[in-house]
Amino acid sequence: GQALSGQIDRIVVTPGRVLIVDDERMRQPPATPDSAATPYLRQLATYRAALRLIYPDRPVECALLWTAAPRLMPIDAVLLDRHAPSQGADREPP
């Protein structure tokens, strides 16, 4: 029931899982996933929600790739759950 417009930077689809990787170009990446900026987490959570509909038989995992470091930061499902799109109209789009 919601429109989604976006571009996933990297996606890996295997028989066992789907991995979404979003490239970020900040000079100083955060020390932990919890300290990543909310818009990044909302964006990944929204992509994950959409891909769960497309691939209901596989887990969908997410990571941020901080290109300045370079550093791949997996984002825990619990953290993404806190930023998942709501079903109501009370939230702004990511």
Side-chain angles (χ1 to χ4, degrees), residues 11-64:
I11 182 171
V12 179
V13 179
T14 68
R17 75 174 180 157
V18 176
L19 174 62
I20 300 167
V21 179
D22 194 43
D23 299 345
E24 297 302 339
R25 291 157 183 83
M26 290 181 63
R27 291 183 186 173
Q28 263 321 89
T32 65
D34 285 333
S35 55
T38 298
Y40 299 150
L41 298 173
R42 281 187 187 164
Q43 179 179 11
L44 282 175
T46 301
Y47 291 159
R48 182 181 70 154
L51 288 173
R52 283 177 162 176
L53 296 173
I54 297 168
Y55 299 101
D57 60 331
R58 302 166 216 205
V60 178
E61 300 171 8
C62 299
L64 291 167

